[in-house]
Coordinates of all heavy atoms in Angstrom, one line a residue:
M178 N 0.8 -1.2 0.0 CA 0.0 0.0 0.0 C 0.9 1.2 0.0 O 1.9 1.3 0.7 CB -0.9 0.1 1.3 CG -2.0 -0.9 1.2 SD -3.1 -0.5 2.6 CE -4.6 -1.0 2.0
T179 N 0.4 2.2 -0.7 CA 1.2 3.4 -0.7 C 0.6 4.4 0.3 O -0.4 4.2 0.9 CB 1.1 4.1 -2.1 OG1 -0.3 4.4 -2.3 CG2 1.6 3.2 -3.2
N180 N 1.3 5.4 0.5 CA 1.0 6.4 1.5 C -0.4 7.1 1.2 O -1.2 7.3 2.1 CB 2.1 7.5 1.5 CG 1.9 8.4 2.8 OD1 1.3 8.0 3.7 ND2 2.6 9.5 2.8
T181 N -0.7 7.2 -0.1 CA -2.0 7.8 -0.5 C -3.2 6.9 -0.2 O -4.3 7.3 0.1 CB -2.0 8.2 -1.9 OG1 -1.7 7.1 -2.7 CG2 -1.0 9.4 -2.2
N182 N -2.9 5.6 -0.2 CA -4.0 4.6 0.1 C -4.2 4.6 1.6 O -5.4 4.2 2.0 CB -3.6 3.2 -0.4 CG -3.5 3.1 -1.9 OD1 -4.1 4.0 -2.6 ND2 -2.8 2.1 -2.4
L183 N -3.3 4.9 2.4 CA -3.5 4.9 3.9 C -4.1 6.2 4.4 O -4.7 6.2 5.5 CB -2.1 4.7 4.5 CG -1.5 3.4 4.4 CD1 -0.1 3.4 5.1 CD2 -2.3 2.3 5.0
R184 N -4.1 7.2 3.6 CA -4.6 8.5 4.1 C -6.0 8.4 4.5 O -6.4 8.9 5.6 CB -4.4 9.6 3.0 CG -4.7 11.0 3.4 CD -3.5 11.5 4.2 NE -3.9 12.0 5.5 CZ -3.2 12.1 6.6 NH1 -1.9 11.7 6.6 NH2 -3.7 12.6 7.7
P185 N -7.0 7.9 3.7 CA -8.4 7.8 4.1 C -8.5 7.0 5.4 O -9.4 7.3 6.2 CB -9.1 7.1 2.9 CG -8.2 7.4 1.7 CD -6.8 7.4 2.3
L186 N -7.8 5.9 5.5 CA -7.9 5.1 6.7 C -7.4 5.9 7.9 O -8.1 5.8 9.0 CB -7.0 3.8 6.5 CG -7.0 2.9 7.7 CD1 -8.3 2.4 8.1 CD2 -6.0 1.8 7.5
L187 N -6.3 6.6 7.8 CA -5.8 7.4 8.9 C -6.8 8.5 9.3 O -7.0 8.8 10.4 CB -4.4 7.9 8.6 CG -3.3 6.9 8.5 CD1 -2.0 7.6 8.0 CD2 -3.1 6.2 9.8
D188 N -7.3 9.1 8.2 CA -8.3 10.2 8.5 C -9.5 9.6 9.2 O -10.1 10.3 10.1 CB -8.7 10.9 7.2 CG -7.6 11.7 6.6 OD1 -6.7 12.1 7.3 OD2 -7.7 12.0 5.4
S189 N -10.0 8.5 8.8 CA -11.1 7.9 9.4 C -10.8 7.5 10.9 O -11.7 7.7 11.8 CB -11.5 6.6 8.7 OG -12.6 5.9 9.3
M190 N -9.7 7.0 11.1 CA -9.3 6.6 12.5 C -9.2 7.9 13.4 O -9.6 7.9 14.5 CB -7.9 5.9 12.5 CG -8.0 4.5 11.9 SD -6.5 3.7 11.7 CE -5.9 3.6 13.4
E191 N -8.6 8.9 12.8 CA -8.5 10.2 13.6 C -9.8 10.7 13.9 O -10.1 11.2 15.0 CB -7.7 11.2 12.7 CG -7.5 12.5 13.4 CD -6.7 13.5 12.6 OE1 -6.5 13.3 11.4 OE2 -6.3 14.5 13.2
S192 N -10.7 10.7 12.9 CA -12.1 11.2 13.1 C -12.8 10.4 14.2 O -13.5 11.0 15.1 CB -12.9 11.2 11.8 OG -14.2 11.6 12.0
S193 N -12.7 9.1 14.1 CA -13.3 8.2 15.1 C -12.7 8.5 16.5 O -13.5 8.6 17.5 CB -13.0 6.8 14.7 OG -13.5 5.9 15.7
L194 N -11.5 8.7 16.6 CA -10.8 9.0 17.9 C -11.3 10.3 18.5 O -11.6 10.5 19.6 CB -9.3 9.0 17.8 CG -8.5 9.2 19.0 CD1 -8.8 8.1 20.0 CD2 -7.0 9.2 18.7
K195 N -11.4 11.3 17.6 CA -11.9 12.7 18.0 C -13.3 12.6 18.5 O -13.7 13.1 19.5 CB -11.8 13.7 16.9 CG -10.4 14.1 16.6 CD -10.4 15.1 15.4 CE -9.0 15.6 15.1 NZ -9.0 16.5 13.9
L196 N -14.2 11.8 17.8 CA -15.6 11.7 18.2 C -15.7 10.9 19.6 O -16.5 11.3 20.4 CB -16.4 10.9 17.2 CG -16.7 11.7 15.9 CD1 -17.3 10.7 14.9 CD2 -17.6 12.8 16.2
R197 N -14.8 9.9 19.8 CA -14.8 9.2 21.1 C -14.4 10.1 22.2 O -15.0 10.1 23.3 CB -14.0 8.0 21.0 CG -14.7 6.8 20.3 CD -13.9 5.5 20.5 NE -12.7 5.7 19.6 CZ -11.8 4.7 19.5 NH1 -11.8 3.6 20.2 NH2 -10.8 4.9 18.7
C198 N -13.4 10.9 21.9 CA -12.9 11.8 23.0 C -13.9 12.9 23.3 O -14.1 13.2 24.5 CB -11.6 12.5 22.5 SG -10.1 11.4 22.5
Q199 N -14.6 13.4 22.3 CA -15.6 14.4 22.5 C -16.8 13.8 23.3 O -17.3 14.4 24.2 CB -16.1 14.9 21.1 CG -17.2 16.0 21.3 CD -17.7 16.5 19.9 OE1 -17.2 16.1 18.9 NE2 -18.7 17.4 19.9
A200 N -17.2 12.6 22.9 CA -18.3 11.9 23.6 C -17.9 11.7 25.1 O -18.7 11.8 26.0 CB -18.6 10.6 22.9
S201 N -16.7 11.3 25.3 CA -16.2 11.0 26.7 C -16.2 12.3 27.5 O -16.6 12.4 28.6 CB -14.8 10.4 26.6 OG -14.3 10.2 27.9
A202 N -15.8 13.4 26.9 CA -15.7 14.7 27.5 C -17.2 15.2 27.9 O -17.4 15.7 29.0 CB -15.0 15.7 26.7
E203 N -18.1 15.0 26.9 CA -19.5 15.3 27.2 C -20.1 14.5 28.3 O -20.8 15.0 29.1 CB -20.3 15.2 25.9 CG -20.0 16.2 24.8 CD -20.6 16.0 23.5 OE1 -21.3 15.0 23.4 OE2 -20.4 16.8 22.6
K204 N -19.8 13.2 28.3 CA -20.2 12.4 29.4 C -19.7 12.8 30.8 O -20.5 12.9 31.7 CB -19.8 10.9 29.1 CG -20.3 9.9 30.2 CD -19.9 8.5 29.9 CE -20.3 7.6 31.0 NZ -19.8 6.2 30.8
R205 N -18.4 13.1 30.8 CA -17.8 13.6 32.1 C -18.5 14.9 32.5 O -18.7 15.2 33.7 CB -16.3 13.8 31.9 CG -15.6 12.5 32.0 CD -14.1 12.8 32.1 NE -13.5 13.6 31.1 CZ -13.0 13.2 29.9 NH1 -13.1 12.0 29.6 NH2 -12.5 14.1 29.1
A206 N -18.8 15.8 31.5 CA -19.4 17.1 31.9 C -20.8 16.8 32.4 O -21.2 17.5 33.4 CB -19.5 18.0 30.6
R207 N -21.6 15.9 31.8 CA -22.9 15.6 32.3 C -22.9 15.0 33.7 O -23.6 15.4 34.6 CB -23.6 14.6 31.4 CG -24.2 15.2 30.1 CD -25.1 14.3 29.4 NE -24.5 13.0 29.1 CZ -23.8 12.7 28.0 NH1 -23.6 13.6 27.1 NH2 -23.3 11.5 27.8
E208 N -21.9 14.1 34.0 CA -21.7 13.5 35.3 C -21.3 14.6 36.3 O -21.9 14.6 37.4 CB -20.7 12.4 35.2 CG -21.1 11.2 34.5 CD -20.0 10.2 34.3 OE1 -18.8 10.5 34.6 OE2 -20.4 9.0 33.8
A209 N -20.5 15.5 35.9 CA -20.0 16.6 36.9 C -21.2 17.5 37.2 O -21.4 17.9 38.3 CB -18.9 17.4 36.3
E210 N -22.0 17.8 36.2 CA -23.2 18.6 36.4 C -24.2 17.9 37.3 O -24.8 18.5 38.2 CB -23.9 18.9 35.1 CG -25.0 19.9 35.1 CD -25.5 20.3 33.8 OE1 -24.7 20.4 32.8 OE2 -26.8 20.4 33.7
K211 N -24.4 16.6 37.1 CA -25.3 15.8 38.0 C -24.8 15.8 39.4 O -25.6 16.0 40.3 CB -25.4 14.4 37.4 CG -26.3 13.5 38.2 CD -26.3 12.1 37.7 CE -27.1 11.2 38.6 NZ -26.9 9.8 38.3
E212 N -23.5 15.6 39.6 CA -22.9 15.6 40.9 C -23.0 16.9 41.6 O -23.3 17.0 42.8 CB -21.5 15.1 40.9 CG -21.3 13.6 40.6 CD -19.8 13.2 40.5 OE1 -18.9 14.0 40.8 OE2 -19.6 12.1 40.1
Q213 N -22.8 18.0 40.8 CA -23.0 19.3 41.4 C -24.4 19.6 41.8 O -24.6 20.1 42.9 CB -22.5 20.4 40.4 CG -22.5 21.8 40.9 CD -22.1 22.8 39.9 OE1 -22.1 22.6 38.7 NE2 -21.6 24.0 40.4
K214 N -25.3 19.2 41.0 CA -26.8 19.3 41.4 C -27.1 18.6 42.6 O -27.8 19.1 43.5 CB -27.6 18.9 40.2 CG -29.1 19.1 40.4 CD -29.9 18.6 39.3 CE -31.4 18.7 39.5 NZ -32.2 18.2 38.5
E215 N -26.6 17.3 42.7 CA -26.9 16.5 43.9 C -26.2 17.1 45.1 O -26.8 17.1 46.2 CB -26.3 15.1 43.7 CG -27.1 14.3 42.7 CD -26.5 12.9 42.3 OE1 -25.4 12.7 42.8 OE2 -27.1 12.2 41.6
F216 N -25.0 17.7 45.0 CA -24.4 18.3 46.1 C -25.1 19.5 46.6 O -25.3 19.7 47.8 CB -22.9 18.7 45.7 CG -22.2 19.4 46.8 CD1 -21.7 18.7 47.9 CD2 -21.9 20.7 46.7 CE1 -21.0 19.3 48.9 CE2 -21.2 21.4 47.7 CZ -20.7 20.7 48.8
K217 N -25.6 20.3 45.7 CA -26.4 21.5 46.0 C -27.7 21.1 46.8 O -28.1 21.7 47.7 CB -26.8 22.3 44.8 CG -25.6 23.1 44.3 CD -26.0 23.9 43.1 CE -24.8 24.8 42.5 NZ -25.2 25.6 41.4
E218 N -28.3 20.0 46.3 CA -29.5 19.5 47.0 C -29.2 19.0 48.4 O -30.0 19.3 49.3 CB -30.2 18.4 46.2 CG -30.8 18.8 44.9 CD -31.3 17.7 44.0 OE1 -31.1 16.5 44.4 OE2 -31.8 18.0 42.9
K219 N -28.1 18.4 48.6 CA -27.7 17.9 49.9 C -27.4 19.1 50.8 O -27.8 19.1 52.0 CB -26.4 17.1 49.8 CG -26.7 15.7 49.3 CD -25.4 14.8 49.2 CE -25.7 13.5 48.6 NZ -24.4 12.7 48.5
L220 N -26.8 20.2 50.2 CA -26.5 21.4 51.0 C -27.9 22.0 51.4 O -28.0 22.5 52.6 CB -25.7 22.4 50.2 CG -24.2 22.1 50.1 CD1 -23.5 23.2 49.3 CD2 -23.6 22.1 51.5
M221 N -28.8 22.0 50.5 CA -30.1 22.6 50.8 C -30.8 21.8 51.9 O -31.4 22.4 52.9 CB -31.0 22.7 49.6 CG -30.5 23.5 48.5 SD -31.0 25.2 48.6 CE -32.7 25.1 48.1
R222 N -30.8 20.5 51.8 CA -31.4 19.7 52.9 C -30.7 19.9 54.2 O -31.3 19.9 55.3 CB -31.3 18.2 52.5 CG -32.4 17.8 51.4 CD -32.5 16.3 51.2 NE -31.3 15.6 50.9 CZ -30.9 15.4 49.6 NH1 -31.7 15.8 48.6 NH2 -29.8 14.7 49.4
A223 N -29.3 20.0 54.2 CA -28.6 20.2 55.4 C -28.9 21.5 56.0 O -29.1 21.6 57.2 CB -27.1 20.1 55.1
A224 N -29.1 22.5 55.2 CA -29.4 23.9 55.7 C -30.8 23.8 56.3 O -31.1 24.4 57.3 CB -29.3 24.9 54.6
A225 N -31.8 23.2 55.6 CA -33.1 23.0 56.2 C -33.1 22.3 57.5 O -33.8 22.7 58.4 CB -34.0 22.4 55.1
G226 N -32.3 21.2 57.5 CA -32.2 20.4 58.8 C -31.6 21.3 59.9 O -32.1 21.2 61.1
K227 N -30.6 22.1 59.6 CA -30.0 22.9 60.6 C -31.0 24.0 61.1 O -31.1 24.2 62.3 CB -28.7 23.6 60.0 CG -28.0 24.5 61.1 CD -26.9 25.2 60.5 CE -26.1 26.1 61.5 NZ -26.9 26.8 62.5
T228 N -31.7 24.5 60.2 CA -32.8 25.5 60.6 C -33.8 24.9 61.5 O -34.2 25.5 62.5 CB -33.5 26.1 59.3 OG1 -32.5 26.7 58.5 CG2 -34.5 27.1 59.7
E229 N -34.2 23.7 61.1 CA -35.1 22.9 62.0 C -34.6 22.7 63.4 O -35.2 22.8 64.4 CB -35.5 21.6 61.3 CG -36.7 20.9 62.0 CD -37.1 19.6 61.2 OE1 -36.9 19.6 60.0 OE2 -37.5 18.7 61.9
L230 N -33.3 22.2 63.4 CA -32.6 21.9 64.7 C -32.5 23.2 65.5 O -32.7 23.2 66.7 CB -31.3 21.3 64.5 CG -31.3 19.8 64.0 CD1 -29.9 19.4 63.6 CD2 -31.9 18.9 65.0
D231 N -32.1 24.3 64.8 CA -32.0 25.6 65.6 C -33.3 26.0 66.2 O -33.4 26.5 67.3 CB -31.4 26.7 64.6 CG -30.0 26.5 64.2 OD1 -29.3 25.7 64.9 OD2 -29.5 27.2 63.3
G232 N -34.4 25.8 65.4 CA -35.7 26.1 65.9 C -36.1 25.3 67.1 O -36.6 25.8 68.1
A233 N -35.8 24.0 67.0 CA -36.1 23.1 68.1 C -35.3 23.5 69.4 O -35.8 23.5 70.5 CB -35.8 21.6 67.7
A234 N -34.0 23.8 69.2 CA -33.2 24.2 70.3 C -33.7 25.5 70.9 O -33.7 25.6 72.1 CB -31.7 24.4 69.8
S235 N -34.1 26.4 70.1 CA -34.7 27.6 70.6 C -35.9 27.4 71.4 O -36.1 28.0 72.5 CB -35.0 28.6 69.4 OG -35.5 29.8 69.9
R236 N -36.8 26.5 70.9 CA -38.0 26.2 71.7 C -37.7 25.5 73.0 O -38.3 25.9 74.0 CB -38.9 25.2 70.9 CG -39.6 26.0 69.7 CD -40.7 25.1 69.0 NE -40.1 23.9 68.4 CZ -39.6 23.8 67.2 NH1 -39.5 24.9 66.5 NH2 -39.1 22.6 66.8
V237 N -36.7 24.6 73.0 CA -36.3 23.9 74.3 C -35.7 25.0 75.2 O -36.1 25.0 76.4 CB -35.3 22.8 74.0 CG1 -34.6 22.3 75.3 CG2 -36.0 21.7 73.2
K238 N -34.9 25.9 74.7 CA -34.3 26.9 75.6 C -35.4 27.8 76.1 O -35.4 28.2 77.3 CB -33.3 27.7 74.8 CG -32.8 28.9 75.5 CD -31.3 28.8 75.9 CE -30.7 30.0 76.4 NZ -31.2 30.4 77.8
G239 N -36.4 28.2 75.3 CA -37.5 29.0 75.7 C -38.3 28.3 76.8 O -38.7 29.0 77.8
K240 N -38.5 27.1 76.7 CA -39.3 26.3 77.7 C -38.5 26.2 79.0 O -39.0 26.3 80.1 CB -39.7 24.9 77.2 CG -40.8 25.0 76.1 CD -41.1 23.6 75.6 CE -42.2 23.7 74.5 NZ -42.6 22.4 74.0
S241 N -37.2 26.0 78.8 CA -36.3 25.9 80.0 C -36.3 27.2 80.7 O -36.4 27.3 82.0 CB -34.9 25.5 79.6 OG -34.0 25.5 80.7
D242 N -36.2 28.3 80.0 CA -36.2 29.6 80.6 C -37.5 29.9 81.3 O -37.6 30.5 82.4 CB -35.9 30.7 79.6 CG -34.5 30.7 79.0 OD1 -33.6 30.0 79.6 OD2 -34.3 31.4 78.0
A243 N -38.6 29.4 80.7 CA -39.9 29.6 81.3 C -40.1 28.9 82.6 O -40.6 29.4 83.6 CB -41.0 29.2 80.3
V244 N -39.5 27.7 82.6 CA -39.6 26.9 83.8 C -38.8 27.6 84.9 O -39.2 27.7 86.1 CB -39.0 25.4 83.6 CG1 -38.7 24.7 84.9 CG2 -40.0 24.6 82.7
Q245 N -37.6 28.0 84.6 CA -36.8 28.8 85.6 C -37.5 30.0 86.1 O -37.5 30.3 87.3 CB -35.4 29.1 85.0 CG -34.5 27.9 84.9 CD -33.2 28.4 84.3 OE1 -32.9 29.5 83.9 NE2 -32.2 27.4 84.2
R246 N -38.1 30.7 85.2 CA -38.9 31.9 85.5 C -40.0 31.6 86.5 O -40.2 32.3 87.5 CB -39.4 32.6 84.3 CG -40.1 34.0 84.6 CD -40.7 34.5 83.3 NE -41.8 33.6 82.9 CZ -41.8 33.1 81.6 NH1 -40.9 33.4 80.8 NH2 -42.8 32.3 81.3
D247 N -40.7 30.5 86.2 CA -41.9 30.1 87.0 C -41.4 29.7 88.4 O -42.0 30.0 89.4 CB -42.6 29.0 86.3 CG -43.4 29.4 85.1 OD1 -43.5 30.7 84.8 OD2 -43.8 28.6 84.3
Q248 N -40.3 29.0 88.4 CA -39.7 28.6 89.7 C -39.3 29.8 90.5 O -39.6 29.8 91.7 CB -38.5 27.6 89.5 CG -38.9 26.3 89.0 CD -37.7 25.4 88.6 OE1 -36.6 25.9 88.5 NE2 -38.0 24.1 88.5
L249 N -38.6 30.7 89.9 CA -38.2 31.9 90.6 C -39.5 32.7 91.1 O -39.5 33.3 92.2 CB -37.4 32.8 89.7 CG -35.9 32.3 89.5 CD1 -35.2 33.2 88.5 CD2 -35.2 32.4 90.8
T250 N -40.5 32.8 90.3 CA -41.7 33.5 90.6 C -42.3 32.8 91.9 O -42.7 33.5 92.8 CB -42.7 33.5 89.5 OG1 -42.1 34.2 88.4 CG2 -43.9 34.3 89.8
C251 N -42.4 31.5 91.8 CA -43.0 30.8 93.0 C -42.1 31.0 94.3 O -42.7 31.2 95.3 CB -43.1 29.3 92.7 SG -44.3 28.9 91.5
L252 N -40.8 31.0 94.1 CA -39.9 31.2 95.3 C -40.1 32.6 95.8 O -40.2 32.8 97.1 CB -38.5 31.0 94.9 CG -38.0 29.6 94.7 CD1 -36.6 29.5 94.2 CD2 -38.1 28.8 96.0
M253 N -40.2 33.6 94.9 CA -40.4 35.0 95.4 C -41.8 35.2 96.0 O -41.9 35.8 97.1 CB -40.3 35.9 94.2 CG -38.9 36.1 93.7 SD -38.6 37.1 92.2 CE -39.6 38.5 92.5
M254 N -42.8 34.5 95.5 CA -44.1 34.6 96.1 C -44.2 33.9 97.5 O -44.9 34.4 98.4 CB -45.2 34.1 95.2 CG -45.3 34.9 93.9 SD -46.6 34.3 92.9 CE -47.7 35.7 92.8
A255 N -43.4 32.8 97.6 CA -43.4 32.1 98.8 C -42.7 32.8 99.9 O -43.0 32.7 101.1 CB -42.8 30.7 98.6
G256 N -41.8 33.7 99.5 CA -41.0 34.4 100.4 C -41.7 35.6 101.0 O -41.4 36.1 102.1
F257 N -42.8 36.0 100.4 CA -43.6 37.2 100.9 C -44.6 36.7 101.9 O -45.2 35.8 102.1 CB -44.3 37.9 99.8 CG -43.3 38.7 99.0 CD1 -43.0 38.4 97.7 CD2 -42.6 39.8 99.5 CE1 -42.1 39.1 96.9 CE2 -41.8 40.6 98.8 CZ -41.5 40.2 97.5

């Protein structure tokens, strides 16, 4: 075979390789985008969970403060 007979084969192989590389890059980009979206969703859920926990802690603290206030009020009234 001469060099000119190999040219179409080489061009075809090069084209095929470029297409595979491009497809692989696109697949990696889609996977990265999906992972980023999943990560953002996890962060949102974590933030919502933290807000819920902060609210629960605040309610518990408020009730604890109310109990202490009630106890002090009873002690003060008993002292009179």
Side-chain angles (χ1 to χ4, degrees):
M178 284 190 154
T179 64
N180 194 16
T181 56
N182 291 342
L183 290 177
R184 190 80 233 154
L186 177 61
L187 291 175
D188 288 344
S189 176
M190 290 173 62
E191 181 181 10
S192 177
S193 176
L194 184 60
K195 284 180 182 179
L196 287 174
R197 280 190 288 181
C198 288
Q199 182 180 356
S201 180
E203 289 173 357
K204 181 180 177 185
R205 282 192 306 273
R207 284 191 304 271
E208 289 172 352
E210 188 176 320
K211 179 183 173 189
E212 288 178 8
Q213 184 179 23
K214 182 180 176 184
E215 290 172 354
F216 179 72
K217 285 181 180 181
E218 288 173 0
K219 286 180 183 178
L220 283 178
M221 298 272 288
R222 285 193 300 270
K227 183 184 180 318
T228 301
E229 187 177 331
L230 289 174
D231 288 346
S235 178
R236 287 189 297 277
V237 167
K238 172 110 174 71
K240 288 179 182 180
S241 177
D242 290 347
V244 167
Q245 287 180 355
R246 183 187 64 238
D247 291 347
Q248 289 173 343
L249 286 173
T250 302
C251 289
L252 285 174
M253 287 175 48
M254 293 182 122
F257 287 112

